[in-house]
């Protein structure tokens, strides 16, 4: 029989069993649901990982209470349990760039305050390689505490280092394009504008919307024919690039020269190519280059070639002449008395004269010959294709003739100016430009010495005379001992009485070695060497001796004029010499006149004024020779103790041709008379000149009209004959 107690035990046992079973079932069930949950979680995590992997983003989680951050490994690896690996909490300062951290915090603050719907920030963080990486982070609140305060913000971040790099480069490139001085344009495969920069608009005048879609031929200029532009585009298409210079035309029609560089930009496969063209306006630069080249080769006053270009052209002319077996002539031309004109009329007028002379010269020789200006009033003409030496003379003569007509320097003013020309010829006188120029220059000086307004062809005798200056100077030393010097005498006619009242003694040197040497050559040499003191003394004594003889022959009133060098005036005791010679020869001081050239007097004005006084004290007369060639004013003459003015031959020459010279001459006569001076006109050659001078009350004349300088005896008979017969037979009879 089952008793009551047993039943109770059984019941309890069954209950316990049932409980155990229930517990086991429950545990199993819980395990199952937990596993399902984990699976689910893992699945979600897997998807999140996939999503993050696909977008290249990372996960982060920021704990505001701890002020610490967790983030997934940048490489996206997961932890063993499959959850994103969020390493230890890190401080913000450990991972965010110190420069960016304040900004990050500020953005977070704004988000939390509700100012932005989401936390967003671009900043630098340390990556696994310990390098700063730019990221773009986005996040939201994920947890709050019981009071609703935010505890965590989580989100994703994306590495944008590359993007930022590309973006930065794009920004720089576009800033460069915008700010470039060069016009840049992108063209499509058909050379239609795709885009242009602001410099393009500045350069061409076209706004971008006016050109985009239109062909680049919009800028083609008529300076090139269309085939040229087609050719250029063809090169760019075939070779992928073109660089060169071309004319283009602006919107307003103005043309400009531009340097252009075109290169192809290969687009993705299958896409048509684009071209980038860079244009720079080089019009100004070209103009400046041309100007520089011009300045280097041309004289800016007259626009004639300068010395540099002349040498170049002369060299080429010589090469051609050698090949073609003909001649080249160099004409070296100097304007007579230009310095005086320049000084008296001023430099502006001087410049106009030079310009006008340049035009006259070029017109005379023609455009096919080179006319150059070397300096000041010196011009050079290069004549090519000459057969004979005489051809050069002919053109020189034409130039002198062309200058007979006055130069017009402005509406009111005309100026007469003559050239002196020296000529040298290739191959006769020299082989190289420098040599020919030097010889033409030498010949020009001879032309000056020969009385100006003339030309002289260089010849070897001249060269010898130049090269043997030293020899001549040497010969000059022995000149007195050898008796190679003598004097000739040129009579002076007093116009009022029509009588010859005086003569001028002029030196002549006939050298055994060198023949007759003109005073214009040996007097400067004698002055240079100081020999002029000795020679001058000899001439003075000789002249006084002649005068004494002539006086004994009945010419009791005749006066003698002797030229005096400045050296005699300044050095030594020339007044004593004069006094002694006068005493020795018995000539009264009043019968002697000493002539000093004007330029010499003026160059040493103060010194000479004092010295001259010593001569006046002796009682000899003093004349200013070649008056008008120097720079003295008549007023200044008042202060010099002079008695006579000799108007230079140049003025007398021009009396009938140049109204200015006629005016100057009559003014000089009037003013000289008002100063109590005697006026002598030099170089009177024609009856017309004589008539003019007589009309203006000139006191005396000297010149070929009356007589050239004569040998002693010839002169004596001339004077005797004249004064007895009261003048020249025929036209010259006063
Ligand atoms: P100057 O004293 O002015 O002499 C006048 C010059 O003009 C002389 O040249 C004379 O021959 C020339 N002449 C005179 N009338 C005419 C004319 O109608 N037509 C032309 N074409 N020429 C004329 P020359 O004799 O050759 O003398 C040249 C210069 O040499 C002189 O110029 C003078 O400055 C200087 N000279 C001459 N003898 C002496 C001297 O003894 N001592 C010094 N220191 N110089 C002298
Ligand atoms: Mg004289
Ligand atoms: Mg003279």
């Amino acid at each position: 029989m089952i008793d009551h107690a047993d039943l109770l035990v059984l019941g309890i046992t069954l209950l316990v069993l049932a409980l155990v079973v229930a517990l086991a079932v429950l545990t199993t069930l819980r395990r199952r649901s937990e596993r399902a949950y984990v699976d689910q979680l893992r699945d979600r995590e897997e998807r999140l990982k996939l999503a993050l992997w696909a977008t290249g983003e990372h996960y982060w989680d920021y704990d505001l209470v701890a002020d610490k951050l967790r983030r997934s490994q940048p490489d996206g690896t997961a932890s063993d349990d499959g959850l994103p690996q969020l390493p230890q909490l890190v401080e913000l300062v450990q991972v965010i760039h110190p420069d960016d951290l304040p900004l990050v915090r500020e953005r977070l603050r704004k988000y939390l305050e509700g100012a932005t719907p989401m936390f967003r920030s671009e900043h630098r963080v340390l990556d696994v390689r310990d390098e700063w990486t730019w990221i773009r982070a986005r996040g939201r609140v994920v947890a709050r505490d019981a009071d609703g305060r935010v505890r965590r913000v989580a989100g994703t971040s994306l590495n944008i280092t590359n993007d930022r790099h590309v973006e930065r480069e794009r920004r720089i490139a576009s800033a460069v394009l915008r700010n470039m001085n060069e016009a840049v344009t992108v063209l499509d495969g058909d050379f239609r504008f795709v885009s242009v920069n602001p410099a393009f608009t500045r350069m061409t005048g076209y706004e971008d919307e006016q050109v985009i879609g239109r062909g680049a031929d919009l800028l083609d200029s008529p300076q090139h024919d269309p085939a040229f532009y087609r050719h250029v585009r063809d090169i760019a298409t075939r070779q992928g690039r073109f660089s060169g210079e071309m004319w283009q035309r602006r919107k307003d029609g103005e043309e400009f020269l531009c340097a252009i560089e075109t290169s192809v930009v290969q687009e993705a496969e299958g896409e048509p190519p684009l071209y980038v063209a860079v244009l720079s306006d080089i019009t100004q630069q070209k103009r400046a280059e041309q100007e520089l080249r011009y300045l280097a080769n041309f004289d800016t006053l007259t626009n004639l070639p300068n010395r540099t270009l002349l040498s170049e052209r002369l060299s080429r002319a010589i090469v051609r002449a050698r090949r073609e077996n003909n001649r080249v002539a160099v004409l070296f031309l100097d304007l007579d008395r230009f310095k005086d004109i320049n000084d008296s009329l001023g430099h502006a007028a001087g410049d106009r004269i030079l310009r006008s002379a340049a035009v006259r010269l070029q017109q005379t020789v023609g455009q096919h010959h080179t006319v150059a200006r070397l300096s000041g009033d010196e011009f050079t003409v290069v004549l090519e294709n000459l057969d004979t030496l005489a051809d050069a003379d002919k053109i020189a003569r034409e130039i002198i003739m062309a200058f007979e007509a006055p130069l017009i320097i402005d509406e009111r003013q005309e100026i007469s100016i003559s050239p002196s020309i020296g000529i040298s010829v290739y191959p006769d006188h020299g082989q190289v430009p420098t040599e020919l120029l030097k010889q033409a220059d030498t010949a020009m000086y001879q032309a000056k010495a020969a009385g100006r307004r003339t030309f002289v062809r260089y010849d070897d005798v001249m060269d010898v005379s130049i090269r043997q200056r030293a020899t001549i100077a040497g010969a000059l030393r022995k000149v007195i001992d050898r008796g190679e010097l003598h004097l000739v005498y040129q009579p002076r006619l007093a116009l009022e009485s029509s009588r010859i009242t005086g003569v001028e003694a002029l030196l002549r040197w006939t050298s055994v070695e060198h023949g007759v040497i003109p005073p214009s050559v040996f007097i400067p040499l004698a002055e240079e060497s100081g020999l002029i003191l000795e020679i001058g003394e000899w001439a003075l004594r000789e002249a006084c001796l002649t005068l004494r003889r002539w006086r004994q022959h009945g010419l009791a009133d005749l006066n003698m004029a002797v030229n005096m060098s400045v050296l005699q005036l300044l050095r030594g005791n020339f007044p004593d010499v004069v006094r002694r010679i006068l005493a020795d020869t018995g000539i009264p001081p009043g019968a002697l006149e000493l002539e000093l050239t004007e330029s010499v007097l003026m160059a040493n004005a103060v010194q000479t004024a004092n010295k001259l006084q010593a001569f006046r004290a002796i009682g000899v007369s003093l004349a200013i020779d070649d008056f008008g060639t120097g720079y003295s004013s008549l007023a200044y003459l008042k202060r010099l103790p002079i008695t006579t003015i000799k108007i230079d031959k140049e003025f007398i020459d021009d009396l009938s041709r140049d109204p200015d010279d006629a005016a100057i001459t009559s003014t000089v006569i009037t003013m000289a008379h008002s100063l109590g001076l005697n006026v002598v006109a030099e170089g009177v050659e024609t009856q017309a000149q004589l008539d003019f001078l007589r009309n203006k009350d000139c006191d005396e004349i000297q010149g070929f009209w009356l007589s050239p300088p004569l040998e002693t005896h010839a002169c004596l008979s001339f004077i005797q004959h004249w004064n007895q017969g009261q003048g020249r037979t025929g036209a010259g009879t006063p």
Side-chain angles (χ1 to χ4, degrees):
M1 217 28 234
I2 304 167
D3 62 13
H4 204 79
D6 286 345
L7 267 175
L8 190 70
V9 168
L10 183 71
I12 289 169
T13 311
L14 278 174
L15 194 68
V16 168
L17 253 169
L19 268 170
V20 168
V21 169
L23 207 76
V25 168
L26 249 163
T27 314
T28 312
L29 276 175
R30 238 210 10 242
R31 280 235 181 90
R32 272 212 194 127
S33 100
E34 267 180 6
R35 195 166 298 137
Y37 174 71
V38 168
D39 281 351
Q40 210 180 2
L41 214 67
R42 187 173 292 153
D43 189 42
R44 258 174 37 204
E45 184 55 34
E46 209 46 54
R47 279 193 231 161
L48 173 67
K49 259 168 61 188
L50 199 65
L52 289 175
W53 173 81
T55 56
E57 295 192 71
H58 302 292
Y59 178 72
W60 56 265
D61 187 337
Y62 173 54
D63 186 332
L64 272 82
V65 181
D67 190 20
K68 286 196 173 147
L69 181 76
R70 282 177 202 277
R71 41 178 202 164
S72 66
Q73 286 294 55
D75 62 357
T77 51
S79 56
D80 291 342
D81 60 2
L83 285 167
Q85 193 190 16
L86 294 179
Q88 305 251 258
L89 286 167
V90 287
E91 302 269 346
L92 294 189
V93 286
Q94 285 177 274
V95 287
I96 298 179
H97 195 285
D99 290 351
D100 301 345
L101 187 55
L103 233 94
V104 175
R105 286 198 189 280
E106 170 65 13
R107 285 173 189 143
L108 187 64
R109 191 181 57 77
K110 283 211 170 129
Y111 164 62
L112 294 177
E113 281 171 359
T116 55
M118 184 190 272
F119 165 74
R120 281 173 193 274
S121 170
E122 283 185 13
H123 55 264
R124 281 161 290 180
V125 296
L126 265 189
D127 67 8
V128 275
R129 297 180 309 267
D130 247 2
E131 281 172 17
W132 292 112
T133 316
W134 278 96
I135 57 155
R136 182 184 299 131
R138 294 184 303 171
R140 283 184 199 282
V141 171
V142 290
R144 293 178 189 270
D145 63 14
D147 301 328
R149 273 197 301 268
V150 176
R151 280 193 48 220
R152 282 168 56 214
V153 175
T156 57
S157 70
L158 181 68
N159 183 340
I160 55 161
T161 308
N162 273 343
D163 293 4
R164 278 187 71 99
H165 200 69
V166 171
E167 167 64 12
R168 186 157 175 266
E169 284 196 338
R170 201 192 59 75
R171 268 203 323 270
I172 293 173
S174 88
V176 168
L177 271 184
R178 266 197 320 278
N179 295 305
M180 265 168 90
N181 276 332
E182 285 84 7
V184 181
T185 167
V186 178
L187 302 159
D188 67 13
D190 296 324
F191 292 96
R192 282 189 304 245
F193 292 104
V194 174
S195 76
V196 299
N197 71 344
F200 178 91
T201 303
R202 283 198 300 277
M203 195 175 287
T204 64
Y206 288 108
E207 297 291 339
D208 44 5
E209 70 269 14
Q210 295 171 311
V211 290
I212 288 171
R214 297 179 70 181
D217 56 1
L218 182 68
L219 302 180
D220 289 0
S221 140
Q223 297 261 6
H224 305 284
D225 62 75
F228 169 82
Y229 294 104
R230 275 202 301 279
H231 177 65
V232 166
R233 279 155 207 156
D234 191 44
I235 292 178
T237 315
R238 279 189 292 110
Q239 302 178 358
R241 61 184 311 114
F242 168 82
S243 95
E245 292 175 4
M246 62 169 77
W247 285 96
Q248 299 272 266
R249 191 165 53 172
R250 288 183 231 285
K251 191 179 165 197
D252 62 10
E254 195 192 331
E255 272 145 7
F256 64 101
L257 188 63
C258 82
I260 186 162
E261 289 270 352
T262 310
S263 44
V264 71
V265 184
Q266 211 57 60
E267 283 293 84
E269 218 169 318
E271 301 247 0
L274 290 177
Y275 295 95
V276 174
V278 180
L279 295 81
S280 22
D281 184 343
I282 53 167
T283 321
Q284 290 302 334
Q285 179 194 331
K286 274 282 136 115
R287 207 165 284 157
E289 276 172 23
Q290 267 167 5
E291 262 164 33
L292 277 181
R293 205 173 311 132
Y294 188 86
L295 282 179
N297 286 300
F298 288 87
D299 162 44
T300 46
L301 178 68
T302 59
N303 291 332
L304 291 177
N306 62 11
R307 192 182 289 271
T308 314
L309 188 55
L310 170 79
S311 309
E312 199 183 303
R313 292 207 184 156
L314 185 52
S315 305
R316 277 195 250 124
I318 290 172
V319 171
R320 274 195 293 273
R322 188 175 299 141
R323 199 173 49 223
E324 285 156 28
N325 203 20
N326 53 27
R327 293 181 153 90
V328 178
V330 175
L331 271 55
F332 200 105
L333 188 143
D334 187 284
L335 299 178
D336 298 331
R337 282 170 43 213
F338 177 75
K339 192 178 167 1
D340 296 350
I341 294 172
N342 206 30
D343 287 348
S344 56
L345 297 182
H347 288 265
D351 284 355
R352 284 201 291 275
I353 292 169
L354 289 174
R355 271 198 290 268
S356 180
V359 171
R360 177 78 46 96
L361 199 52
Q362 187 81 68
Q363 277 169 353
T364 312
V365 302
Q367 288 300 330
H368 47 285
H369 292 304
T370 296
V371 176
R373 176 169 172 246
L374 296 197
S375 63
D377 60 339
E378 290 176 346
F379 295 87
T380 304
V381 180
V382 176
L383 302 171
E384 289 193 61
N385 292 321
L386 302 185
D387 292 324
T388 65
L389 290 172
D391 292 347
D393 296 358
K394 186 174 151 278
I395 294 179
R397 203 170 292 120
E398 280 169 13
I399 293 173
I400 290 170
M401 298 281 283
F403 275 84
E404 295 286 304
L407 297 175
I408 289 114
I409 63 171
D410 57 41
E411 308 87 60
R412 289 168 293 109
Q413 215 166 4
E414 291 186 348
I415 279 284
S416 287
I417 196 158
S418 59
S420 293
I421 305 174
I423 305 172
S424 66
V425 179
Y426 167 87
D428 307 67
H429 302 134
Q431 306 290 321
V432 292
T434 43
E435 201 180 353
L436 288 165
L437 279 167
K438 206 180 97 225
Q439 291 162 344
D441 189 16
T442 305
M444 187 276 292
Y445 275 101
Q446 295 296 315
K448 290 259 182 218
R452 303 186 177 106
R453 198 200 290 276
T454 187
F455 66 89
V456 168
R457 201 200 294 153
Y458 182 85
D459 61 40
D460 294 338
V461 176
M462 196 183 286
D463 190 34
V464 168
S465 78
I466 297 293
R467 270 192 272 131
Q468 293 185 344
R469 257 171 82 100
T471 326
I472 293 175
L476 200 59
R477 259 165 239 290
K478 296 166 230 149
V479 86
I480 298 172
D481 300 342
R482 286 191 185 175
E484 288 182 353
L485 284 181
H486 76 280
L487 290 176
V488 289
Y489 302 91
Q490 187 173 32
R492 252 159 68 170
L493 180 74
L495 291 182
E496 204 185 349
S497 63
S498 292
R499 287 178 64 83
I500 291 171
T501 49
V503 295
E504 177 178 4
L506 294 158
L507 266 173
R508 293 292 176 264
W509 176 20
T510 316
S511 155
V512 179
E513 297 102 329
H514 310 289
V516 177
I517 300 164
S520 54
V521 172
F522 75 83
I523 301 263
L525 285 177
E527 282 176 337
E528 266 173 39
S529 59
L531 275 172
I532 192 70
L533 295 177
E534 210 180 319
I535 293 173
E537 189 174 335
W538 176 87
L540 180 62
R541 184 174 294 274
E542 184 69 16
C544 288
L545 286 171
T546 303
L547 185 63
R548 183 171 71 181
R549 275 200 305 279
W550 287 353
R551 284 178 158 247
Q552 288 161 358
H553 279 84
L555 302 179
D557 301 331
L558 200 72
N559 296 324
M560 177 63 73
V562 180
N563 292 285
M564 189 164 101
S565 156
V566 68
L567 224 68
Q568 291 169 280
L569 185 68
L570 297 179
R571 276 214 222 144
N573 50 347
F574 202 57
D576 290 343
V577 173
V578 173
R579 204 179 288 116
R580 198 172 58 240
I581 290 175
L582 288 175
D584 290 351
T585 54
I587 298 293
L592 180 66
E593 187 169 76
L594 296 175
E595 294 187 5
L596 277 149
T597 54
E598 183 195 10
S599 49
V600 158
L601 273 181
M602 291 308 131
N604 305 278
V606 182
Q607 246 181 317
T608 44
N610 296 332
K611 295 268 180 180
L612 289 177
Q613 214 60 56
F615 294 103
R616 287 299 292 136
I618 300 169
V620 297
S621 303
L622 292 175
I624 290 203
D625 203 354
D626 305 341
F627 185 79
T629 55
Y631 320 107
S632 49
S633 65
L634 278 166
Y636 183 76
L637 293 182
K638 203 159 56 174
R639 289 190 248 152
L640 293 177
I642 50 164
T643 51
T644 304
I645 278 181
K646 297 187 76 176
I647 301 176
D648 192 67
K649 178 177 182 305
E650 263 186 45
F651 290 91
I652 309 303
D653 280 348
D654 286 346
L655 278 185
S656 51
R657 265 190 303 259
D658 186 346
D660 283 347
D661 276 358
I664 291 171
T665 304
S666 70
T667 311
V668 167
I669 296 170
T670 316
M671 287 191 68
H673 283 165
S674 74
L675 294 171
L677 300 175
N678 187 40
V679 183
V680 181
E682 288 190 296
V684 176
E685 293 180 346
T686 68
Q687 182 68 42
Q689 289 164 352
L690 177 79
D691 293 343
F692 178 90
L693 293 161
R694 192 194 294 282
N695 195 263
K696 299 291 173 196
D697 287 335
C698 180
D699 301 293
E700 292 175 60
I701 60 126
Q702 181 181 340
F704 294 172
W705 179 86
L706 178 65
S707 163
L710 300 169
E711 296 298 329
T712 320
H713 294 296
C715 190
L716 173 65
S717 13
F718 181 84
I719 299 168
Q720 284 172 332
H721 177 246
W722 183 284
N723 283 355
Q724 279 157 21
Q726 285 299 293
R728 205 164 103 145
T729 46
T733 310

